[in-house]
Amino acid sequence: MNAPTMQAYSQTPINVARGASGTDFAYRRVGSRGGVPLVLGNYFAANMDDWDPLIVDGLAADRDVVTFDYPGTGGSTGRAPATIAKLAIDCIEFLHALDLTTVDFLGFSLGGMVAQQIASSHPEMFRRMILSGTAPRGGEKLTFTELSIDDLKDPVTLILKSFFTPSDSSQAAGHAYLKRLNRLVADRDTPVTMTAAAAQLRAIREWGEVPTTDRYATLKTIQQPTLIVHGTKDIVVDSVNAIILAENLSDATLLILPDASHGAQSQHAEVFLANARLFLSG
C-alpha cells in the first residue's frame, strides 16, 4: 500500500492558538507529527504566505513544521512589538499555546534576531537553530536608514532587488520564487499593515544599536548547535554578520551561498535543504 501523500504547505489551512495574554496567534502546521517540531520565525513585514513553499515542504518531508504570525502581524491579534526582546516573549507565549516545550527553530532575518534572544534567555526551549540572513545584536550596518516603509508598496520590485542579485541566474531564481508564492490561492493570510511593519523596523534598529561594552555578549551565552546561512552579496543584512555569528557562537556551522542576496536559501534551495535537514537530524 502506498504511503499517504503529505499535504503541501500551499494547501495547509490557517489555525489559531490563544496565548496566555489573550493574543490569538495565526499559524500553519504541516508535515509528520512526532519528534522535535521545527518552528519558523519570519522576516520583516512578512506573514505566513511569504514563506517559500519549496523550503517549507522540503523541511516538512520528514518532520513537523510550524509557521506563525507575530502579534499584530498578518492573522495574529494584538499589537506588533517594537523590540526584539518583546517579540521573543511573544514567541515563547505562542510555543506554550501549542504545548511545545522544546523545538528546533529556523529564524530568517528578523526571525533570526528573535531566535538569538530566545536561545539566550530561555535556552531550554531550543534544541538546535538555523539562523538565515540575520545578524547579532549590535551587528554591522543594521541602522537601515535607506529603508522606507513606502518600499513595501511595491513588493515584487522590492523582493527582486533585495532578495536576489542583479545576475541573470539570481533574477531567474527570484521570478521562480515569486511564482511559488502565488501557489497559495485559498485561505490566504491577512496582509501586514504599515503600522506593524513600522514597529518591526524599530525593533530591528534597536537590535542594531552597538552596546557600549562587550558588544557580542549575547552570543557568548548561546550553547545550542547553530547552522548559519547567508548569501555572499546580501544587501539587506551585510554578509560580515554571518562571520561574526560564526566566530562568537560556541557551536556554529557556517554555510555561505554564492551570488546570493537576502533570499539565499530560496535561490539555492537544494543546497540549503540538504544542509538544513542533515543539521537538524543530528
Side-chain angles (χ1 to χ4, degrees):
M1 186 173 70
N2 292 331
T5 302
M6 184 191 80
Q7 184 179 42
Y9 183 66
S10 60
Q11 300 170 341
T12 302
I14 295 174
N15 293 299
V16 174
R18 175 156 293 183
S21 71
T23 299
D24 287 332
F25 292 93
Y27 73 97
R28 291 191 177 106
R29 196 166 187 173
V30 63
S32 303
R33 301 293 177 92
V36 180
L38 173 64
V39 179
L40 275 54
N42 223 334
Y43 65 94
F44 162 68
N47 65 22
M48 290 182 288
D49 294 353
D50 294 309
W51 281 112
D52 188 341
L54 178 62
I55 297 298
V56 179
D57 289 342
L59 293 169
D62 54 5
R63 65 183 303 131
D64 182 9
V65 176
V66 181
T67 65
F68 70 104
D69 287 331
Y70 302 124
T73 304
S76 293
T77 64
R79 177 177 293 182
T83 66
I84 299 299
K86 181 61 170 66
L87 268 168
I89 291 171
D90 290 333
C91 289
I92 292 169
E93 180 182 339
F94 167 68
L95 297 178
H96 288 162
L98 290 186
D99 293 324
L100 299 178
T101 55
T102 301
V103 302
D104 291 332
F105 198 94
L106 187 164
F108 176 24
S109 196
L110 170 64
M113 299 170 191
V114 175
Q116 292 170 63
Q117 182 68 42
I118 297 174
S120 176
S121 62
H122 291 76
E124 74 283 356
M125 298 294 299
F126 287 176
R127 186 187 71 109
R128 289 174 172 254
M129 63 178 180
I130 300 174
L131 302 178
S132 182
T134 195
R137 174 179 287 280
E140 295 290 339
K141 303 178 184 178
L142 296 181
T143 56
F144 296 102
T145 53
E146 75 287 354
L147 179 62
S148 168
I149 297 299
D150 288 339
D151 293 336
L152 300 174
K153 295 177 181 178
D154 186 3
V156 170
T157 299
L158 183 62
I159 288 292
L160 291 175
K161 179 181 177 181
S162 60
F163 275 43
F164 301 90
T165 73
S167 74
D168 290 344
S169 59
S170 188
Q171 286 296 297
H175 285 286
Y177 165 75
L178 290 170
K179 186 176 181 179
R180 292 194 296 270
L181 294 187
N182 288 330
R183 289 179 187 171
L184 189 64
V185 293
D187 202 16
R188 291 194 66 89
D189 203 355
T190 304
V192 178
T193 65
M194 293 297 111
T195 299
Q200 290 184 3
L201 184 55
R202 290 197 299 275
I204 294 169
R205 286 173 172 162
E206 185 270 340
W207 179 261
E209 294 175 0
V210 178
T212 55
T213 59
D214 204 355
R215 186 172 182 179
Y216 302 122
T218 298
L219 297 181
K220 294 177 174 62
T221 68
I222 296 174
Q223 303 300 314
Q224 293 90 341
T226 303
L227 174 63
I228 302 161
V229 181
H230 221 99
T232 56
K233 300 178 180 179
D234 193 331
I235 66 169
V236 179
V237 178
D238 195 283
S239 304
V240 69
N241 288 290
I243 306 299
I244 295 169
L245 288 168
E247 289 179 341
N248 287 275
L249 289 169
S250 64
D251 188 356
T253 301
L254 178 60
L255 176 63
I256 296 288
L257 297 169
D259 185 34
S261 188
H262 207 48
Q265 69 277 3
S266 288
Q267 180 173 335
H268 297 281
E270 185 175 344
V271 173
F272 169 75
L273 287 170
N275 281 271
R277 292 178 67 181
L278 180 63
F279 170 75
L280 293 170
S281 67

